[in-house]
Amino acid sequence: ETTEIYVNGGTYKPQSTINFNLNNNQTSLTIIGINNPVLDTSVALFKVSNGNISFLNFTFKTTGASKQILSQSGGSVTFDNCNFNDIAAPSNKKGLFSGENGYLNIVNSKFLNLKNNYQLIVLKNYQHVTILNSQFSNGGRIIYSTYRDKEYTIGAALDEWYVWVEITKSHTVL
């Protein structure tokens, strides 16, 4: 069963990380932004350990030091038609997104005016990442895998035992 939550325009800064661990009765949650809502990334935003979560039509910005947008240990998370503006990964090899044992999908999204060159996505074991039709304001250090200590950039395709990455129809803007 899929549940939809609508978030109206405005800027939102959660007090603490929002945890998602959906049970078998509720397997999908779609959070849809209307009228351009902004989520402040100066707080670690989401932790997902189970279920299918989708975020549609959001802008992610920071009013302070950036924290992780997503820490994932299972399930499937999709960011569709989202803008990530004026943000920075919190530190080297930590990333705005980190995960293992799940699926991360970034579709029709833009990463603009990134404030540093740290990796955006950090993968651990058994993580699948798909980036489709998205735009990045810099060309390097998009993904880092703790498996074999590798980095991947736009145009990369990786299919190894522990991580799977596919980046297609995406481009960088210098």
Side-chain angles (χ1 to χ4, degrees):
E1 182 177 322
T2 299
T3 299
E4 292 181 346
I5 297 174
Y6 293 88
V7 178
N8 202 2
T11 300
Y12 300 92
K13 181 178 179 180
Q15 297 279 325
S16 61
T17 301
I18 299 169
N19 293 295
F20 294 103
N21 184 8
L22 303 182
N23 62 36
N24 291 334
N25 295 326
Q26 173 155 6
T27 58
S28 295
L29 175 64
T30 301
I31 303 170
I32 302 168
I34 53 176
N35 298 319
N36 196 30
V38 175
L39 298 177
D40 187 338
T41 64
S42 60
V43 172
L45 291 177
F46 306 112
K47 184 174 184 179
V48 175
S49 56
N50 197 17
N52 297 314
I53 313 290
S54 294
F55 298 92
L56 303 171
N57 307 324
F58 282 93
T59 295
F60 295 84
K61 287 181 98 167
T62 188
T63 58
S66 288
K67 304 290 184 188
Q68 279 193 312
I69 292 172
L70 173 67
S71 174
Q72 183 179 5
S73 61
S76 177
V77 179
T78 299
F79 293 88
D80 191 351
N81 198 36
C82 291
N83 292 313
F84 302 87
N85 297 336
D86 302 312
I87 58 177
S91 65
N92 194 33
K93 297 183 182 178
K94 185 165 186 179
L96 289 172
F97 307 90
S98 69
E100 63 183 325
N101 301 319
Y103 295 84
L104 172 62
N105 306 294
I106 298 174
V107 182
N108 302 316
S109 295
K110 295 179 181 179
F111 292 80
L112 303 174
N113 302 316
L114 300 176
K115 293 183 178 181
N116 64 28
N117 197 28
Y118 293 144
Q119 302 90 347
L120 296 177
I121 302 168
V122 175
L123 308 177
K124 298 176 185 167
N125 294 326
Y126 303 106
Q127 182 73 7
H128 298 255
V129 175
T130 300
I131 300 173
L132 178 62
N133 197 33
S134 295
Q135 177 182 332
F136 296 84
S137 67
N138 65 357
R141 306 187 72 170
I142 304 300
I143 296 174
Y144 171 76
S145 172
T146 60
Y147 178 70
R148 295 190 184 162
D149 194 32
K150 289 187 176 181
E151 289 185 328
Y152 305 94
T153 59
I154 292 298
L158 166 72
D159 189 0
E160 294 180 341
W161 179 253
Y162 294 105
V163 296
W164 182 86
V165 176
E166 180 180 13
I167 304 174
T168 56
K169 295 185 181 174
S170 299
H171 63 279
T172 60
V173 176
L174 301 177

